[in-house]
């Protein structure tokens, strides 16, 4: 696994742990599935199919979409891991959920 992909996975783990503590999300099995199939590949395929990460809805209700895999994918430091269409799909999902509020 490349260093950047490893850093992404570590941050995703931290985010999901926080999500569990703060919002009561249950990421059980989600990370295992991602790691088995490849985290970048799995998240990319899901985003392109319009599938949101397991905790997205709960995080939206809790006001913590910043902890979602979609928000992490959109972070500039991970830009080289994901194709533009994947990032755009995540941005669309975050916008539809009201993550980017102006004012």
């Amino acid at each position: 696994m490349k260093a950047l992909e490893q850093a992404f996975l570590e941050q995703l783990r931290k985010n999901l742990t926080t999500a569990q503590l703060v919002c009561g999300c249950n990421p059980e099995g989600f990370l295992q599935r991602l790691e088995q199939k490849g985290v970048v590949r799995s998240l990319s395929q899901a985003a392109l199919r319009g599938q949101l990460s397991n905790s997205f809805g709960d995080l939206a209700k809790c006001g913590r979409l910043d902890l979602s895999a979609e928000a992490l994918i959109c972070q500039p430091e991970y830009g080289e891991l994901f194709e533009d269409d994947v990032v755009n799909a995540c941005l669309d999902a975050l916008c539809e959920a009201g993550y980017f509020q102006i004012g």
Side-chain angles (χ1 to χ4, degrees):
M1 184 179 299
K2 296 177 186 175
L4 186 58
E5 187 173 350
Q6 185 63 41
F8 177 87
L9 180 58
E10 289 303 315
Q11 187 59 55
L12 182 60
R13 282 186 183 125
K14 288 178 188 175
N15 287 4
L16 292 175
T17 298
T18 302
Q20 189 171 17
L21 294 171
V22 174
C23 299
C25 299
N26 186 4
E28 188 174 320
F30 178 63
L31 272 175
Q32 289 175 339
R33 286 191 303 276
L34 290 179
E35 289 175 1
Q36 287 173 349
K37 297 180 180 181
V39 66
V40 171
R41 188 172 136 247
S42 295
L43 289 173
S44 294
Q45 290 174 347
L48 293 175
R49 287 191 305 260
Q51 294 176 327
L52 300 172
S53 59
N54 289 12
S55 301
F56 190 90
D58 291 334
L59 291 170
K61 289 177 192 171
C62 191
R64 292 302 308 267
L65 280 172
D66 60 301
L67 298 172
S68 69
E70 291 78 4
L72 193 58
I73 288 169
C74 295
Q75 295 299 309
E77 60 265 35
Y78 302 115
E80 70 183 68
L81 291 176
F82 298 97
E83 300 291 329
D84 289 347
D85 51 350
V86 172
V87 175
N88 288 336
C90 291
L91 285 171
D92 288 345
L94 290 165
C95 285
E96 287 177 25
Y99 179 63
F100 298 106
Q101 298 288 330
I102 298 176

